[in-house]
Amino acid sequence: MDDQFPTHRKVRHLSDQAFRLFVSTLCWCNDNLTDGHIQERELRFVSDIRAPKRYADELISVGLWERTDSGWCVHDYLEYQPSAEKIREGREAKRARQERWLERKREEGRSRGDASQDATADLSEDAAPIPSQSHSQHNFSSQSSNPPHPARDQDPTDDDGQDFSQVDEMVKRELAPLAAQPITDQQAAHIRRDILSRARTKVKNPSRYILRALRTDPSQYLPQPPREHRGTGRMCPTHPFMPEPCRSCAADRLAID
């Protein structure tokens, strides 16, 4: 609408109901692609004002509407609005552009997939590790595991004299809302070592690397509860048949925190 629409000579003296009906009509015609036409049987759906035919006559009297055989039409509607045909053509052109864009992205993805057969190609040293099916759940009774990629030359259990206490605390904070029981210092250290062992090269920023891994797929690093706690009594009280805590409850806890 033009900025001067409310003060136009055809609009200035309209009643409130007629003004509302006219504005609602423009929205109706645009939404339903009617090219400015309002069927008589549809008038009651255009606006929620009472006695709309009475105010339709008012709009005709000031030249904003015109009478037709089947109802009314907005005067000079197509002078200011695109036709239904042009809108459909534009939508079809947009759909075709999106399909071409998606196909191009799929082709690029396939090309990258072919180029990534070399296991060491284009991997950032601080990228999150690739999850492994064998690590879907950790058994902390054993510290041995086979990383999904060749490990670095150094022993992953060797802290190399570095203080990882703050990193381990971060691990505990990230996994606490999802864990069935509090995560111990030993478990946090094991998770940290396990994630670092998956890196193909020495990680420059262990804290950022581990945080990204945890947020990519935290469930694979959760310790399994003791055997005596499994089964009956470990179901989510809010969402039956889901292990406690379920994803929904965990997300609520994170939001509250």
Side-chain angles (χ1 to χ4, degrees):
M1 283 184 181
D2 187 83
D3 294 343
Q4 303 301 316
F5 170 77
T7 58
H8 190 277
R9 62 182 182 83
K10 291 184 178 181
V11 179
R12 191 69 181 90
H13 299 291
L14 287 177
S15 63
D16 291 345
Q17 292 86 343
F19 184 94
R20 182 183 183 90
L21 177 59
F22 184 69
V23 174
S24 298
T25 299
L26 297 180
C27 298
W28 169 271
C29 294
N30 273 280
D31 186 42
N32 293 277
L33 302 181
T34 68
D35 284 343
H37 291 271
I38 309 100
Q39 299 292 326
E40 190 163 354
R41 66 177 182 274
E42 297 175 337
L43 181 61
R44 61 193 180 95
F45 302 126
V46 175
S47 179
D48 57 359
I49 65 172
R50 294 183 179 180
K53 287 187 178 181
R54 169 186 172 187
Y55 300 105
D57 292 338
E58 183 177 344
L59 293 174
I60 292 174
S61 67
V62 298
L64 290 174
W65 276 19
E66 296 175 358
R67 200 67 165 95
T68 65
D69 294 337
S70 58
W72 303 267
C73 70
V74 179
H75 179 70
D76 287 343
Y77 179 87
L78 294 179
E79 292 291 327
Y80 303 97
Q81 308 291 336
S83 67
E85 182 181 2
K86 288 186 177 180
I87 292 176
R88 293 189 182 99
E89 290 176 353
R91 290 176 180 176
E92 178 61 26
K94 180 179 180 181
R95 185 192 63 79
R97 287 196 302 272
Q98 290 175 337
E99 286 187 353
R100 290 195 297 269
W101 184 85
L102 289 173
E103 181 60 29
R104 186 165 62 250
K105 288 298 180 181
R106 285 192 289 265
E107 290 293 337
E108 292 175 358
R110 285 192 286 267
S111 299
R112 284 196 297 268
D114 294 339
S116 63
Q117 295 304 313
D118 178 4
T120 60
D122 297 332
L123 179 68
S124 170
E125 57 197 5
D126 287 333
I130 301 174
S132 170
Q133 294 297 330
S134 63
H135 289 261
S136 58
Q137 293 291 343
H138 289 275
N139 184 348
F140 286 91
S141 63
S142 173
Q143 296 295 326
S144 63
S145 60
N146 296 321
H149 306 298
R152 292 177 283 111
D153 293 337
Q154 67 184 58
D155 182 356
T157 63
D158 182 12
D159 290 344
D160 196 23
Q162 298 185 54
D163 181 8
F164 285 104
S165 58
Q166 292 185 353
V167 177
D168 293 348
E169 287 299 320
M170 180 267 293
V171 171
K172 292 161 66 175
R173 286 196 307 271
E174 285 293 315
L175 295 181
L178 300 173
Q181 292 182 322
I183 296 177
T184 65
D185 293 341
Q186 180 185 10
Q187 291 171 339
H190 175 76
I191 294 170
R192 179 245 306 165
R193 293 186 184 116
D194 180 66
I195 294 175
L196 292 178
S197 72
R198 303 184 185 199
R200 298 192 180 101
T201 60
K202 184 175 180 60
V203 178
K204 292 182 179 179
N205 191 330
S207 179
R208 184 177 65 179
Y209 181 87
I210 293 171
L211 180 62
R212 185 176 300 176
L214 293 176
R215 292 185 175 177
T216 299
D217 187 5
S219 61
Q220 69 168 320
Y221 301 108
L222 289 173
Q224 292 183 351
R227 185 172 298 277
E228 61 270 16
H229 291 288
R230 299 178 191 173
T232 306
R234 300 308 303 170
M235 308 309 289
C236 177
T238 306
H239 304 88
F241 308 108
M242 296 292 290
E244 196 263 342
C246 69
R247 284 182 177 272
S248 178
C249 293
D252 291 342
R253 294 182 195 177
L254 290 172
I256 293 174
D257 292 342

